């Protein structure tokens, strides 16, 4: 909220050629429709401006000349013009909205696709809400521009010229009298418009302040109350609120002035027309109908002048939104497949870390020259205290981030030379916090890939011990998964994520194991499923269970971003080094707990 | 509508004067076509130019006067709407300040914000533009119809014949547009939740190379949105031209039918001109008729929602007669305190049967697992929540009988989750106190080990905190909130695990500096690190809302219970750090 309102404060140009050009790129596929909607503009104006002229003819020629047939003819023309205008206005709006909706839909897809490719480090820095806003609110502002901005702005200008022309054609002197009124009116309108815009800008800033203050006060209400700051806070809020009200009081005056001005101008021009034109009529130079037509034309002249300032603001907001959108689209994709991407065949499940150093923030290294090799089919457990770099290590393996020094090789090829998609297809990742998408169970196991046959999904679920609880759901594999899988227990989510691995059958499994489940029955199922999932795969595991460590071929001890100890459980215990202490700290208690309960897990083992 | 009329009543002068101006405007607006008619009649009959000029001047004069009067009518009524908005927003804010923490646990800030913003705006629109049109429309109708009827009854009836159609069309489309726009909104929220979820699960999307499938799903939703939006655009696009068209139809009728009558000689061209002018005047109120009704509808609904907030009872408030307290003399006592959150049903409670005393000048430490009830216990002291049963006594007085303000002034509370306002660092530190000396400030900053950070900040203590200024790390924020409590210099300090994001080394330094201050004060210290509580006079170990062990550090270690185990673990991990 705060971020948005603050950005709202910055309003710059209403027209930026660079941005318009880039937007044009999205219009190109629909340019025929776009031109069609543009072509309808003069048509719509012609129908509209014909009406006063037809009124003039009807009154001056046929009513005055008592020609009923002529009057009927001209009124039928009037009806035709009326229908023509209605249709043309609608069609013009419809086509321009069609262009807008289609090209903005494309723009949204472009943003979404681009965001999909952004490196993980981008998501660490940018809150999700801001990215959502780019695709929703900002694009909608551009739609507003299509609906009521650029196109009509241009057409208004054309119409003003039309009106001049017609008035001069009808009667030069009368046109000049009317024109004489227009410059002072335009000046006055311009004055009010300028003032209104100034206050409008002020209002935006002030409403943003109120909302920011309110948002902050609501989230910090506990602190306000604890420090007994209610009165002081209220006074501050009241002041912001009063500033906002005062700005509006001023703006209301200008807006009202602007509105009344245009209304009054219409009547003044009628007075002038009668005063000067009345004489002309009396001399027989023109008819009464001409006066009527002039009155209409003058009215149509002032309306676009009045609406100009509103359209200007729409354009300003649109440019600001476009700027933000293109900024996002211009964010470079750091992690991409190289030009001559390699997909090694046959794939060997071998992983080599060679003097890998990595930092998220410069000067704050997370991994310092980490080296190890995992042979195909080998199961390696990684242990270490919090912050030792375990999680980072597994994130590097599938190129969620790029390392700064050293190399990581999978199947003998540096991950940076791999085809990114292929690499990730070979590496299955199970994270501690299992992420489920809203949708159904099946879609979550197959991750939305419709080409995966149902048997494969069901087989995977069966092997991963997930079938029994899925079957128990009323809709089975079609059961709904709520946002973030909140309608499944932690244990069930883990089983689903293991089944997901089995659906994709990756050769390498990387797992940040979740802590053991409180529910002993589920815990036994998870341990059993884990063993099956790990079979015949190269595994790199961050272990939280004793059983996982026991099942590992080797243990790597990470400490402060370095590999400090490597070996089997027995070897490392004997050494009485870091692992020994870690074991006491993290695993011993679990062993005690398991021993005392004699869990089904142990019976299974 | 009781409350809303109170607000309107407060600005009755503005509304009354604005209404009078509207009446004046309408009168002038309505006489102009009449004078046009007179002028044209003179022209038609070939009268004298000076007579025409007379009416022309009259019209111009009326137009100018009308310009001013109209400006004031609009400004006055719109301003009254803003005035009510201002009052309403203030009252809401003041009320929100009184609502207890439990209310904010139930409401999401974002929801509350958008309700306050959107609903206030709906009420304001009802009381500004809504009132204006509500007064204007009948006024214009009565005036114009009377004048038109006085000119010619049959012409009037013929001219206004399409008006029912106009109202019908407006009404029809309004319903459909509202329905359609609801669908567009729903589709938009489906679209944005998809994006939201996709972005939150980005690590999974990337790990399984699912970018394309995600994009396909997005494209499908996006297409639906496009289709729904187009449906709405179609309807929006139809309304205005059709309304204009119908209005044009009335003019057509007047010229056609009027023309025939003129030819027959029982009507003047001047009448036709006047009729066209009246119809133009009526075009807007007619078109706006449905719109106005919907404004009132929405405004009333919004006001009802705001009243819900305004009528929420602040459960924690001052009792009628609360004795003043200035200093702590005896201490704080928890007597049989149990507490359950509202959401906890079937007998589960966050705290059960808590009994302990914290004598003045002493300190009590609280340890326990996450969710054991430590923070809840601490929050009960300044009455962020009220106990369910039992009582908390300050100097023997039930806290519920004390003035809330005075009670909270006694306590310096350093919360677990540091919250700073986006003003200067200095203003944040001085939150609890109006005036303080420069030394007090420096000392507090030093003890909280914030001095080194302040030196690096571009503007020192004047540095703005938050989005527009320096973004503080979790540890810096925690240290700032500690300094904030220290400057307040209250007799009681509650430290709610307030150094969790501070590294062990700095924590040790802070604890060292705090030692002298803690001796002068009555302290409740919560921590997940033993080092912070080991010197407390009494340590309570909390588990599932109950005190399971109590005693001083040495006793608890000797007893070999949960505390001893925790102590052992922390020693191990400290050892590990050293390797």
């Amino acid at each position: 909220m705060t971020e948005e309102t603050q950005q709202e404060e910055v309003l710059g140009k209403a027209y930026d050629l660079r941005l318009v050009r880039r937007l044009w790129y999205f219009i190109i596929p629909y340019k025929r429709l776009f031109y069609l909607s543009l072509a309808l503009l003069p048509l719509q104006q012609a129908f509209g401006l014909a009406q006063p002229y037809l009124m003039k003819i009807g009154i001056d020629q046929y009513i005055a000349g008592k020609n009923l047939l002529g009057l009927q003819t001209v009124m039928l023309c009037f009806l035709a013009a009326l229908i023509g205008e209605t249709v043309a206005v609608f069609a013009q709006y419809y086509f321009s909205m069609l262009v807008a909706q289609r090209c903005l839909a494309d723009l949204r897809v472009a943003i979404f696709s681009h965001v999909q490719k952004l490196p993980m480090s981008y998501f660490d820095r940018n809150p999700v809400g801001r990215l959502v806003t780019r695709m929703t609110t900002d694009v909608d502002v551009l739609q507003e521009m299509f609906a009521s901005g650029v196109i009509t702005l241009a057409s208004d200008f054309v119409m003003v010229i039309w009106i001049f022309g017609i008035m001069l054609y009808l009667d030069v002197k009368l046109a000049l009298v009317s024109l004489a009124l227009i410059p002072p009116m335009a000046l006055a309108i311009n004055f009010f418009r300028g003032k209104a815009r100034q206050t409008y800008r002020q209002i935006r800033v002030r409403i943003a302040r109120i909302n920011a203050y309110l948002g902050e006060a609501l989230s910090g209400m506990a602190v306000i109350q604890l420090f007994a700051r209610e009165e002081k806070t209220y006074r501050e809020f009241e002041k912001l609120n009063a500033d906002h009200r005062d700005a509006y009081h001023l703006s209301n005056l200008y807006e009202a002035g602007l509105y009344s001005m245009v209304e009054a101008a219409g009547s003044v021009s009628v007075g002038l027309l009668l005063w000067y034109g009345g004489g002309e009529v009396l001399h027989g130079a023109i008819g009464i109908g001409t006066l009527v037509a002039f009155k209409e034309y003058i009215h149509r002249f002032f309306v676009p002048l009045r609406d100009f300032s509103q359209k200007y603001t729409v354009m300003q907001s649109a440019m600001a939104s476009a700027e933000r959108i293109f900024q996002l689209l211009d964010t470079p994709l750091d992690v991409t497949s190289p030009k001559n991407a390699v997909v090694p065949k046959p794939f060997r499940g071998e992983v080599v870390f060679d003097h890998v150093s990595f930092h998220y923030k410069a000067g704050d290294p997370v991994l310092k020259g980490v080296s190890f090799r995992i042979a195909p089919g080998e199961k390696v457990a990684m242990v270490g205290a919090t912050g030792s770099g375990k999680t980072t290590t597994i994130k590097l393996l599938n190129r969620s981030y790029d390392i700064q020094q050293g190399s990581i090789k999978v199947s003998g090829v540096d991950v940076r030379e791999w085809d990114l998609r292929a690499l990730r297809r070979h590496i299955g990742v199970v994270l501690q916090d299992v992420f489920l998408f809203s949708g159904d169970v099946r879609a979550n196991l197959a991750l939305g890939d419709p080409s995966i046959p149902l048997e494969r999904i069901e087989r995977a679920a069966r092997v991963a011990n997930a079938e029994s609880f899925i079957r128990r759901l009323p809709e089975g594999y079609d059961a709904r998964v709520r946002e973030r899988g909140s309608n499944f227990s932690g244990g069930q989510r883990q089983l689903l994520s293991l089944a997901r691995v089995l659906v994709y059958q990756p050769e390498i499994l990387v797992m940040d194991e979740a802590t053991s489940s409180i529910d002993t029955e589920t815990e036994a199922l998870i341990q059993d499923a884990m063993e099956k999932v790990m079979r015949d795969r190269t595994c790199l595991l961050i272990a939280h269970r004793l059983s996982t460590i026991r099942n590992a071929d080797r243990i790597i001890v990470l400490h402060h971003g370095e590999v400090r100890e490597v070996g089997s459980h027995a070897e490392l215990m004997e050494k009485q080094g870091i692992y020994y202490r870690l074991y006491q700290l993290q695993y011993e208690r679990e062993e005690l707990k398991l021993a005392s309960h004699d869990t089904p897990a142990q019976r299974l083992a | 509508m009781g409350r809303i009329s109170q607000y309107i009543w407060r600005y009755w002068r503005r509304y009354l004067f604005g209404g009078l101006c509207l009446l004046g405007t309408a009168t002038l607006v309505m006489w102009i076509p009449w004078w046009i008619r007179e002028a044209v009649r003179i022209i038609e009959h070939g009268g004298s130019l000076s007579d025409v000029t007379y009416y022309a001047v009259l019209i111009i004069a009326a137009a100018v006067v009308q310009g001013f009067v109209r400006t004031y009518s609009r400004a006055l009524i719109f301003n009254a709407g803003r005035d009510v908005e201002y009052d309403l927003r203030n009252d809401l804010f003041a009320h929100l300040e009184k609502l207890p923490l439990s209310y904010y646990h139930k409401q999401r800030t974002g929801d509350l914000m958008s309700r306050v913003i959107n609903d206030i705006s709906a009420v304001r629109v009802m009381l500004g533009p809504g009132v204006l049109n509500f007064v204007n429309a009948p006024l214009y109708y009565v005036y114009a119809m009377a004048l038109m009827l006085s000119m010619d009854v049959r012409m009037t009836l013929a001219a206004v014949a399409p008006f029912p159609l106009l109202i019908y069309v407006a009404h029809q489309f309004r319903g459909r547009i509202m329905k359609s726009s609801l669908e567009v909104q729903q589709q938009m929220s489906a679209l944005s939740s998809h994006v939201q979820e996709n972005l939150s699960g980005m690590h999974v999307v990337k790990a399984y190379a699912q970018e394309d499938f995600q994009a396909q799903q997005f494209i499908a939703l996006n297409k639906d949105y496009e289709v729904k939006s187009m449906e709405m655009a179609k309807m929006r696009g139809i309304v205005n031209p059709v309304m204009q068209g119908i209005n044009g139809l009335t003019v057509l009728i007047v010229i056609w039918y009027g023309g025939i009558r003129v030819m027959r000689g029982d009507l003047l061209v001047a009448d036709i001109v006047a009729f066209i002018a009246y119809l133009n005047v009526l075009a807007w109120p007619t078109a706006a008729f449905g719109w106005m009704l919907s404004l009132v509808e929405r405004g009333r609904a919004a006001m009802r929602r705001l009243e819900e907030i305004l009528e929420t009872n602040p459960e924690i408030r001052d009792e009628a007669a609360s004795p003043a307290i200035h200093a702590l003399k005896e201490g704080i006592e928890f007597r049989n305190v149990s507490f359950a959150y509202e959401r906890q049903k079937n007998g589960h409670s966050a705290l059960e049967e808590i009994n302990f005393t914290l004598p003045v000048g002493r300190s009590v430490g609280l340890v326990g697992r996450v969710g054991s009830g430590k923070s809840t216990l601490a929050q009960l002291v300044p009455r962020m929540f009220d106990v369910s049963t039992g009582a908390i006594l300050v100097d023997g007085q039930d806290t519920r009988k004390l003035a809330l303000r005075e009670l909270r002034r006694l306590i310096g509370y350093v919360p677990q989750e540091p919250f700073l306002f986006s003003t200067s660092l200095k203003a944040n530190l001085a939150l609890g106190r109006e005036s303080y000396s420069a030394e007090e400030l420096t000392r507090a900053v030093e003890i909280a080990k914030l001095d080194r950070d302040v030196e690096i900040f571009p503007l020192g203590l004047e540095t703005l905190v938050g989005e527009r200024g320096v973004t503080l790390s979790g540890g810096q924020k925690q240290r700032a909130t500690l300094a904030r409590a220290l400057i307040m210099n209250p007799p009681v300090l509650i430290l709610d695990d307030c150094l969790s994001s501070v590294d062990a080394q700095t924590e040790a330094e802070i604890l060292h500096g705090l030692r002298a201050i803690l001796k002068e004060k009555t302290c409740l210290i919560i921590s997940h690190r033993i080092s912070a509580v080991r010197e407390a006079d009494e340590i309570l170990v909390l588990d599932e809302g109950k005190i399971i062990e109590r005693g001083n550090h040495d006793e608890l270690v000797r007893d070999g219970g949960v505390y001893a185990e925790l102590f052992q673990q922390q020693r191990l991990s400290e050892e590990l750090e050293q390797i």
Side-chain angles (χ1 to χ4, degrees), chain B residues 4 23-24 32 54 58 82 86 239 266 269 284 301 308 326 347 395 401 403 460 473 481 496 542 545 550 563:
Chain B
I4 197 81
L23 186 67
I32 289 174
Y54 166 74
L58 214 54
R82 291 285 169 191
Y86 163 81
V239 177
D266 65 348
V269 174
W284 169 245
E308 261 172 45
H326 301 293
D395 284 355
K401 298 237 163 63
S473 72
T481 50
D496 184 0
L542 224 55
R550 65 200 306 164
Y563 183 86

Side-chain angles (χ1 to χ4, degrees), chain A residues 156-168:
Chain A
D156 286 349
F157 180 72
V158 177
M159 186 154 85
V160 165
I161 293 177
W162 269 96
I163 294 174
F164 269 140
I166 296 172
M167 291 205 300
L168 286 171

Side-chain angles (χ1 to χ4, degrees), chain A residues 6 105 108 116 118 216 225 229-230 238 241 248-249 252 281 424 431 438 447 559 581 589, chain B residues 43 79 82-83 86 89-90 97 99 197-198 203 206 210 222 408 422 431 468 565 575-576:
Chain A
Q6 276 168 17
R108 243 182 258 119
Q116 296 298 298
L118 288 170
E216 199 172 63
Q225 293 180 349
R229 295 280 289 187
E230 289 95 335
E238 191 271 339
N241 199 6
Y248 252 117
H249 278 175
N252 280 340
V281 178
R424 288 176 178 168
L431 293 177
S438 56
L447 282 166
H559 196 65
R581 287 188 176 79
R589 259 159 70 103
Chain B
I43 297 169
N79 283 352
R82 291 285 169 191
D83 286 329
Y86 163 81
R89 199 184 270 133
N90 278 343
E97 282 190 321
L99 292 177
E197 192 175 63
N198 165 273
H203 55 275
K206 283 194 181 297
Q210 290 303 304
N222 194 29
R408 289 177 178 167
S422 51
L431 198 67
R468 280 191 246 191
E565 199 182 328
E575 257 179 52
L576 207 57

Side-chain angles (χ1 to χ4, degrees), chain A residues 33-252:
Chain A
L33 269 177
F34 183 72
Y35 289 140
L36 180 62
S37 85
L38 281 187
L40 283 167
L41 278 171
L43 194 67
Q44 158 199 332
Q45 290 171 353
F47 280 129
L49 296 177
Q51 290 164 23
Y53 189 75
L54 291 170
M55 282 160 72
K56 169 205 173 294
I57 295 177
I59 294 170
D60 285 354
Q61 283 184 359
Y62 300 121
I63 295 179
K66 294 195 192 276
N67 180 345
L68 184 59
L69 193 68
L71 179 67
Q72 277 166 351
T73 317
V74 91
M75 280 301 103
L76 284 176
C77 290
F78 187 90
L79 187 64
L82 214 54
I83 293 169
E85 189 189 18
T86 307
V87 173
V89 168
F90 170 70
Q92 194 275 326
Y93 182 82
Y94 181 77
F95 288 130
S96 70
M97 282 316 279
L98 208 56
V99 174
Q101 290 299 343
R102 290 198 178 155
C103 81
L104 294 179
D106 292 351
L107 181 62
R108 243 182 258 119
V109 171
I111 303 171
F112 187 83
S113 307
H114 185 80
V115 168
Q116 296 298 298
K117 294 186 206 120
L118 288 170
M120 278 317 287
S121 53
Y122 186 83
F123 298 99
D124 298 342
R125 286 194 311 266
N126 291 281
V128 169
R130 192 179 302 178
L131 294 171
V132 176
T133 309
R134 290 298 160 273
M135 271 173 257
T136 54
T137 318
D138 278 332
V139 177
D140 276 354
V141 172
L142 291 180
Q143 180 185 316
E144 186 64 20
M145 175 187 80
F146 275 96
S148 69
V150 251
I151 299 175
T152 47
L153 210 59
S155 82
D156 286 349
F157 180 72
V158 177
M159 186 154 85
V160 165
I161 293 177
W162 269 96
I163 294 174
F164 269 140
I166 296 172
M167 291 205 300
L168 286 171
Y169 168 76
L170 282 178
D171 189 283
V172 179
K173 282 192 225 155
L174 207 53
L176 289 177
V177 172
S178 311
L179 287 179
L181 182 69
I182 286 164
M185 274 299 151
L187 276 178
I189 288 172
N190 197 42
F191 167 78
F192 279 113
R193 201 183 59 210
K195 288 282 183 194
R197 203 158 59 220
Q198 264 172 26
T199 52
Y200 188 61
R201 197 167 294 161
Q202 219 171 28
I203 284 166
R204 285 173 87 96
V205 174
R206 289 181 185 181
I207 191 70
R209 279 192 200 140
I210 288 185
N211 290 340
Y213 195 89
L214 182 65
E216 199 172 63
L218 289 179
S219 27
M221 194 52 84
V223 178
I224 292 173
Q225 293 180 349
L226 277 170
F227 284 84
R229 295 280 289 187
E230 289 95 335
E231 275 169 44
K232 187 123 200 274
T233 313
Y234 176 80
R235 282 200 301 276
E236 279 173 14
F237 182 78
E238 191 271 339
K239 195 177 170 312
L240 291 177
N241 199 6
D243 283 348
H244 173 254
R245 178 199 58 192
D246 294 344
Y248 252 117
H249 278 175
L250 205 61
S251 142
N252 280 340

